Amino acid sequence: MQPVKVPPAPPTPGSDLAKRLFGTWWRRQSPSRQDRYATLGPLVSVLLFLAAIISAFWYLRNEELEREQESVKRDTEIAQQQVRLRLIESQEQLIRMARDIATRAIKPDGFVQPAAGFARERPEITHLMWVDADLRRQASYSSANMHMQVESSPEELDRSLPMPHREGVPERTFEATQQLRYPTYSIPYLNGFGHWVFQLQVPLIDNNRFAGTLIAEYSVEALVRYFIPADVSNRHVVTVIDSQDKVLSSTVMLMPGQIARPASIVHDVPLAPAGNGLKLRVQGYRTSIGLISNTLFWMVAALSTLTVWMLLGTWRHMRRRLQMQNTLVSETNFRRAMENSMLTGMRAMDMEGRITYVNPAFCAMTGFNEQDLIGHLPPFPHWPPDRYDENNRLLQQELQGRSPAGGIEVKAMRKDGSLFDARMYVSPLIDPKGVQTGWMTSMTNITEAKRVRDQLSASHERFTTVLEGLDAAVSVLSVQQGELLFANRSYRLWFGAEARGHAALAGGESAPALLGDFGDSVDSFGGLPTQELTEAGSDPREVYVESLQKWFDVRARYLQWTDGRLAQMLIATDITSRRNAETQAQQQAEKAQVTSRLVTMGEMASSVAHELNQPLTAITNYCNGMVSRVKADAIEKPDLITALEKTAKQAERAAQIIRRIRAFVKRSEPRREPSLAANIVEESVDLAGIELRRRNVALHIYVAQRLPVLMVDPILIEQVLLNLLKNAAEAIDSAGLPLPRRNIELRVIPRHTPDEGGVIEFTVTDSGPGLKEEVIGRLYEAFFSTKVEGLGIGLSLCRSIIESHRGRIRAENLYNGATVVGCRFSFTLPVETAKSTGLETALT
Ligand code: ADP
């Protein structure tokens, strides 16, 4: 026999397929949808569970209801059976009794005994009555145990007895019995005691003759009380109702005002064999099966609601979590993008110093890739080999958390071995539980920054050195606060580190006062004057500082300070020595002018002596003449007077010459005053005339009419004119020209030139040999002279005098063809038009 090979149980293909299908479907769903399904699944199961519980309850309830109905029906039937048996049995007894009465075995007076015997065992019987066919009462018996009455009153009995000529229930029953000759039950009625009762009338048949009825009255209430089994009445409410559903008796007594609960199960059966419309009703109350009052149901419902509520809460929570997760993911992406894009290198280490992470910037910076670095323990590949010790020390410091907050500067090495400067900042890495797991180091390449910084500091140093080395005091004062923002060494040396010096240089005004000068033009925003800052107050001023006894050339400038504040910068240069030199030069110039005048006079001394000689000789001659004529007594008084007058005149002439020379020489301080050109010309020609006459040179003067007033020092201008005229005369004299050519012309005319404006031009033209080539270039040079006795300071002084009056002096040769026929010196003096007219009128 072949051994049967049992194949391994194949996997159930159906379940596998379903699993796979579900798996693919599930994976296709979006995460939010998965979440929704994951939440809705339990929710739906809870709802299904609740529905199952409800249907189970429903089913059980129906089941119980059916059982209850069954039990009610059964109980009803039991009760009916009991009552029926009892009634039938009583009916048979009554029929027997009725027969005995008919056969006269029982006489009316012997009725009580069998009646009592009958009623004793039957508490439902209230009365037993015997009436004949004519409705006469033969005998009656009232049950005592019902009413505690041995004898009923006739009136009460009357209600139950059929009476002739009365239409009541007993009468109608009697008639029916008479006709049917058969025991008949009456419909229920209220007897004389107010109880619901019904009668059974049994016909008395005596030889086929109707001889009356035996009437038994049943109490409905007693029937219910005695013949409904106790277990039935305990379970249910049993009532007897008439054909109109009126309750005649019940096992449950309602309190007055109490409303009967509507029964859920009702079962009616006729109260056989009475057949008089009475019905037995049994009502069942579902006490334990009410759905609403079922505790278990409510517990389940409450638990289900709680579960649903919690599921919904979970769902909401999950949705929130999902949102947070999404935010987290985008945050992570954002951070990663940021981290990848930034230039700062990041390196994470665990607590032992092992590299756990490096970002792309770190790799780019060092040239190593992630594999080279991650997992590496110190010494790291980017440490320069000659700096292991230093780097190790820094790392230990880092691991102990003692790195300075401002970062540390290190040298790092690239993969190719080149070095760069880096700055590293360290911060602890903390996990979500608050436990430190390592260190995060950020690294920036500061080679370029360091180079720039070094350059900057070098340039700053240069700048400071220059500023500090300046002989000028440089200070910057904030305009609003009056605070000294900068002061160089010279400033500190002269004024100390205080703003007072700045104020003194600024003209004794404090800076806020300077600001006040701007008034409305200062806008309220930055306190900056709206006018151009760099131009504000940039005019140089010369300031004397009393405390230092120094003169300063001060240049002020407004500028915006590095913090945006408006500041005033002053550059004060010590010009004391220059000032002193200038003063000295001026004093010397004055002295030179006086000296020059003295020299001129010295040069003219022989001419002056010659000039003075004439009047003195004349005086001597007059005096000698007069003396001899007086001695000889040959003079008449009028002649003497005439001679004396002539003598005085000559003396006066000599005195005038001396006065002029004194006036010309004496004045030393230059003083400008309104002067008329004609007066200046007259004075200088008077002096020059001495020289001209001696040298036999003729002077022709032309002065234009109504010339404007000049604001000049007349003595200095006279000096210039005298010099020019003297030079001209000397030139003519030295050339030894014949008399017709010994001429000088002096012209004074007003002119207007484009570059000088209105001027008065003085021109001295001579007919001399002119200026030689080599002389023209050095004409105004001091101490340049072609003359043997010449000092050569005349023309240089002339130029400085004219230029100090803002005029111009020039010299040129006059030509006739190629021959020089003379030379012309001319100078101009500006006319101060504003004052001139008024002065002119005042002087003329
Ligand atoms: P000084 O008269 O003492 O020589 P100046 O300064 O007055 O000094 O003159 C300088 C020189 O200019 C003279 O030496 C002379 O050579 C020349 N010079 C001045 N005026 C004339 C002139 N009118 N004609 C020719 N040469 C002149």
Side-chain angles (χ1 to χ4, degrees):
M1 235 178 85
Q2 281 285 105
V4 181
K5 226 177 156 192
V6 182
T12 45
S15 74
D16 233 36
L17 185 72
K19 226 187 253 176
R20 246 200 346 268
L21 279 176
F22 177 76
T24 37
W25 173 81
W26 180 255
R27 274 191 297 279
R28 261 211 309 271
Q29 306 307 312
S30 66
S32 67
R33 207 164 257 234
Q34 282 179 357
D35 280 348
R36 199 170 305 156
Y37 287 145
T39 319
L40 280 176
L43 195 68
V44 169
S45 350
V46 168
L47 289 174
L48 283 175
F49 169 72
L50 191 64
I53 289 284
I54 289 172
S55 41
F57 268 103
W58 189 261
Y59 173 76
L60 284 175
R61 181 175 166 274
N62 279 351
E63 192 87 328
E64 203 166 330
L65 202 65
E66 242 167 60
R67 232 190 0 261
E68 186 71 17
Q69 262 167 355
E70 203 58 41
S71 126
V72 166
K73 208 169 147 193
R74 205 174 48 244
D75 282 354
T76 314
E77 273 161 10
I78 290 168
Q80 186 196 27
Q81 196 66 20
Q82 288 281 328
V83 174
R84 199 175 63 158
L85 283 173
R86 186 67 177 191
L87 285 177
I88 288 170
E89 196 251 340
S90 293
Q91 189 182 333
E92 275 167 7
Q93 278 288 322
L94 284 170
I95 290 170
R96 251 198 307 281
M97 218 162 131
R99 204 182 304 133
D100 287 351
I101 289 170
T103 56
R104 304 231 183 8
I106 294 170
K107 298 275 186 330
D109 45 351
F111 178 74
V112 172
Q113 201 190 350
F118 175 75
R120 195 179 305 124
E121 291 159 17
R122 291 173 180 80
E124 72 271 23
I125 304 291
T126 51
H127 297 294
L128 266 178
M129 291 158 291
W130 171 12
V131 289
D132 63 9
D134 301 325
L135 295 174
R136 281 187 302 262
R137 182 170 71 152
Q138 298 297 320
S140 69
Y141 173 80
S142 287
S143 172
N145 35 355
M146 265 227 32
H147 311 295
M148 312 297 280
Q149 286 170 293
V150 178
E151 272 301 317
S152 303
S153 65
E155 300 83 55
E156 283 157 1
L157 252 176
D158 283 353
R159 294 285 302 270
S160 308
L161 273 173
M163 296 285 188
H165 320 300
R166 201 176 65 177
E167 279 293 315
V169 174
E171 286 81 17
R172 281 204 300 276
T173 316
F174 183 82
E175 269 170 41
T177 315
Q178 192 175 14
Q179 278 166 16
L180 291 168
R181 300 209 176 178
Y182 199 76
T184 309
Y185 287 91
S186 75
I187 59 166
Y189 65 94
L190 278 172
N191 72 358
F193 298 102
H195 298 285
W196 281 102
V197 291
F198 65 87
Q199 288 181 350
L200 171 64
Q201 294 196 17
V202 180
L204 304 170
I205 309 293
D206 182 19
N207 293 328
N208 254 346
R209 191 186 52 90
F210 178 72
T213 58
L214 179 63
I215 303 168
E217 197 183 68
Y218 287 80
S219 161
V220 176
E221 196 196 331
L223 264 179
V224 170
R225 191 188 302 163
Y226 294 109
F227 301 109
I228 304 298
D231 56 335
V232 171
S233 60
N234 278 349
R235 276 199 297 269
H236 307 296
V237 179
V238 182
T239 45
V240 174
I241 52 171
D242 65 5
S243 51
Q244 270 87 46
D245 279 359
K246 186 174 165 160
V247 176
L248 306 182
S249 176
S250 171
T251 52
V252 172
M253 295 296 283
L254 288 178
M255 290 288 133
Q258 194 182 355
I259 297 160
R261 221 158 22 119
S264 55
I265 305 162
V266 178
H267 196 70
D268 289 351
V269 282
L271 201 68
N276 52 1
L278 280 183
K279 283 185 275 185
L280 195 63
R281 167 170 284 181
V282 176
Q283 294 170 315
Y285 293 98
R286 282 173 291 120
T287 48
S288 65
I289 54 169
L291 186 69
I292 306 303
S293 55
N294 193 308
T295 323
L296 190 65
F297 171 78
W298 279 119
M299 263 168 66
V300 169
L303 279 174
S304 303
T305 315
L306 189 70
T307 314
V308 167
W309 181 64
M310 279 168 70
L311 277 170
L312 285 175
T314 312
W315 187 25
R316 217 169 304 139
H317 178 71
M318 267 172 72
R319 266 175 44 187
R320 257 204 306 273
R321 283 294 287 269
L322 194 74
Q323 274 170 4
M324 274 161 66
Q325 196 179 319
N326 286 341
T327 324
L328 211 66
V329 167
S330 53
E331 176 78 19
T332 311
N333 289 344
F334 170 72
R335 279 185 186 270
R336 185 162 306 141
M338 206 165 72
E339 190 188 287
N340 289 345
S341 71
M342 72 179 173
L343 294 171
T344 307
M346 307 285 278
R347 180 191 71 189
M349 289 186 308
D350 62 13
M351 297 304 281
E352 286 140 43
R354 183 181 288 107
I355 297 180
T356 54
Y357 166 82
V358 285
N359 76 338
F362 191 91
C363 293
M365 209 179 280
T366 56
F368 292 99
N369 56 26
E370 270 188 40
Q371 288 78 30
D372 296 337
L373 296 167
I374 288 180
H376 219 292
L377 274 165
F380 298 131
H382 57 274
W383 283 5
D386 56 332
R387 286 173 184 260
Y388 275 180
D389 286 345
E390 184 196 340
N391 276 310
N392 228 337
R393 189 173 51 74
L394 289 174
L395 182 80
Q396 289 312 317
Q397 188 179 319
E398 202 174 313
L399 291 178
Q400 284 157 20
R402 289 190 286 112
S403 292
I408 38 177
E409 249 182 69
V410 291
K411 277 238 181 283
M413 190 179 73
R414 294 196 188 86
K415 200 173 185 176
D416 60 12
S418 57
L419 295 180
F420 65 95
D421 290 300
R423 181 172 281 278
M424 302 215 292
Y425 300 88
V426 181
S427 51
L429 266 180
I430 311 283
D431 73 358
K433 288 181 200 137
V435 180
Q436 189 184 348
T437 58
W439 297 94
M440 175 62 88
T441 312
S442 66
M443 186 164 93
T444 37
N445 186 341
I446 55 160
T447 313
E448 182 60 20
K450 202 176 168 192
R451 195 179 60 76
V452 170
R453 198 178 57 201
D454 288 350
Q455 270 180 359
L456 265 178
S457 76
S459 101
H460 178 256
E461 206 170 306
R462 282 198 296 276
F463 169 74
T464 321
T465 312
V466 168
L467 269 187
E468 290 291 293
L470 271 183
D471 283 337
V474 180
S475 58
V476 180
L477 190 84
S478 102
V479 171
Q480 277 139 325
Q481 287 86 16
E483 173 197 343
L484 193 64
L485 300 173
F486 175 82
N488 74 343
R489 194 182 58 86
S490 299
Y491 181 93
R492 295 196 302 275
L493 209 66
W494 286 326
F495 304 104
E498 282 171 37
R500 256 208 314 264
H502 186 104
L505 290 173
E509 294 170 328
S510 61
L514 284 171
L515 181 68
D517 285 347
F518 295 117
D520 290 341
S521 66
V522 175
D523 77 35
S524 56
F525 284 116
L528 295 168
T530 46
Q531 72 196 90
E532 190 129 355
L533 284 181
T534 47
E535 285 180 5
S538 63
D539 282 344
R541 284 184 307 116
E542 296 191 354
V543 177
Y544 183 67
V545 177
E546 190 73 50
S547 56
L548 295 171
Q549 296 202 324
K550 276 182 194 293
W551 277 95
F552 289 98
D553 171 279
V554 181
R555 279 153 208 268
R557 227 164 251 273
Y558 284 96
L559 45 86
Q560 210 167 5
W561 194 237
T562 47
D563 58 3
R565 276 188 284 173
L566 176 68
Q568 187 194 39
M569 177 172 79
L570 290 186
I571 302 173
T573 318
D574 183 4
I575 50 160
T576 314
S577 49
R578 196 190 83 198
R579 269 302 272 238
N580 289 345
E582 272 174 13
T583 320
Q584 257 174 9
Q586 199 182 343
Q587 282 167 357
Q588 276 168 0
E590 275 165 24
K591 275 183 194 153
Q593 283 158 10
V594 177
T595 314
S596 153
R597 290 202 289 271
L598 285 172
V599 167
T600 310
M601 280 303 119
E603 285 169 349
M604 283 171 64
S606 60
S607 305
V608 169
H610 177 78
E611 187 78 11
L612 278 177
N613 205 30
Q614 281 184 6
L616 288 176
T617 310
I619 289 168
T620 310
N621 289 343
Y622 281 132
C623 286
N624 287 340
M626 274 189 289
V627 167
S628 57
R629 282 175 74 179
V630 169
K631 271 184 188 164
D633 219 357
I635 191 160
E636 289 300 310
K637 201 178 171 185
D639 291 340
L640 187 63
I641 288 169
T642 311
L644 280 173
E645 275 171 356
K646 281 182 177 173
T647 310
K649 205 174 174 183
Q650 289 301 321
E652 174 60 31
R653 200 176 141 210
Q656 198 179 2
I657 293 168
I658 289 165
R659 254 205 320 276
R660 276 228 171 90
I661 291 169
R662 264 187 63 194
F664 180 68
V665 175
K666 198 184 100 192
R667 275 264 308 285
S668 64
E669 269 179 37
R671 194 172 63 222
R672 293 197 183 193
E673 52 195 53
S675 320
L676 287 173
N679 292 350
I680 294 170
V681 168
E682 191 185 330
E683 289 289 318
S684 44
V685 164
D686 269 350
L687 279 174
I690 298 170
E691 186 77 3
L692 296 177
R693 271 194 295 279
R694 198 172 70 87
R695 296 189 186 275
N696 234 340
V697 176
L699 176 64
H700 307 279
I701 303 166
Y702 171 73
V703 179
Q705 293 291 309
R706 299 189 61 83
L707 285 172
V709 176
L710 290 167
M711 197 60 192
V712 294
D713 186 331
I715 294 292
L716 295 180
I717 306 303
E718 278 169 32
Q719 189 178 348
V720 172
L721 269 180
L722 179 60
N723 229 308
L724 296 181
L725 290 171
K726 192 168 99 18
N727 276 350
E730 279 171 356
I732 289 169
D733 201 19
S734 65
L737 293 174
L739 197 61
R741 284 194 60 197
R742 296 174 87 95
N743 294 317
I744 297 175
E745 192 189 36
L746 170 62
R747 285 174 72 87
V748 182
I749 48 163
R751 278 191 61 176
H752 194 276
T753 62
D755 49 337
E756 284 179 283
V759 293
I760 293 176
E761 189 184 49
F762 295 75
T763 317
V764 177
T765 315
D766 67 69
S767 51
L771 298 163
K772 296 192 180 68
E773 245 347 90
E774 71 270 14
V775 174
I776 291 178
R778 310 179 60 186
L779 207 57
Y780 303 108
E781 221 173 78
F783 308 114
F784 172 78
S785 176
T786 56
K787 298 164 193 166
V788 181
E789 291 154 10
L791 275 176
I793 52 165
L795 281 178
S796 88
L797 211 67
C798 285
R799 186 157 94 162
S800 70
I801 288 170
I802 295 304
E803 285 181 355
S804 77
H805 282 86
R806 290 190 287 121
R808 302 239 178 104
I809 183 163
R810 55 181 88 80
E812 60 192 334
N813 280 330
L814 300 175
Y815 293 91
N816 185 3
T819 336
V820 177
V821 291
C823 126
R824 180 193 291 151
F825 280 84
S826 63
F827 66 89
T828 55
L829 288 174
V831 179
E832 273 155 50
T833 46
K835 298 172 188 171
S836 57
T837 38
L839 286 167
E840 191 179 18
T841 41
L843 285 164
T844 48

